[in-house]
Amino acid sequence: FFYGGLVHRKSVLTIMMQCLFSMGLTAMIWFCVGFSLAFGESAGSLIGNPASFPFFLNMDPCTPAGYPMASGLKIPALVFAT
């Protein structure tokens, strides 16, 4: 996920910190509203309602998220939360 070959030696630490910060920011956005946008109740035809599962509230870990697979298997929502 990281490549520091095109920067100067002094800048590699800066690039590593930027990568770490961006991973943390992405995780926080997923925790706050991303899961709701992906798997929440429909708020239109494209995305889910951000108020469905904010901060993973109102989420039952055993309830399937999304649509069942073709073979009838249902994946619990907790798998997608982490």
Side-chain angles (χ1 to χ4, degrees), residues 2-12 15:
F2 168 74
Y3 177 70
L6 295 177
V7 296
H8 296 287
R9 270 187 176 203
K10 296 177 185 177
S11 301
V12 171
I15 298 299

Side-chain angles (χ1 to χ4, degrees), residues 23 55 82:
M23 286 189 302
F55 302 100
T82 55

Side-chain angles (χ1 to χ4, degrees), residues 62-69 71-77 80:
C62 297
T63 302
Y67 299 102
M69 298 176 122
S71 64
L73 298 174
K74 295 183 179 182
I75 301 173
F80 296 105

Side-chain angles (χ1 to χ4, degrees), residues 7-63:
V7 296
H8 296 287
R9 270 187 176 203
K10 296 177 185 177
S11 301
V12 171
L13 183 61
T14 304
I15 298 299
M16 288 176 66
M17 292 304 293
Q18 289 174 359
C19 289
L20 185 65
F21 175 77
S22 66
M23 286 189 302
L25 182 65
T26 303
M28 289 303 298
I29 291 172
W30 178 257
F31 177 73
C32 294
V33 295
F35 184 82
S36 294
L37 291 174
F39 298 107
E41 298 168 357
S42 180
S45 61
L46 185 60
I47 62 171
N49 185 2
S52 296
F53 305 110
F55 302 100
F56 297 135
L57 296 175
N58 306 324
M59 186 178 81
D60 182 14
C62 297
T63 302

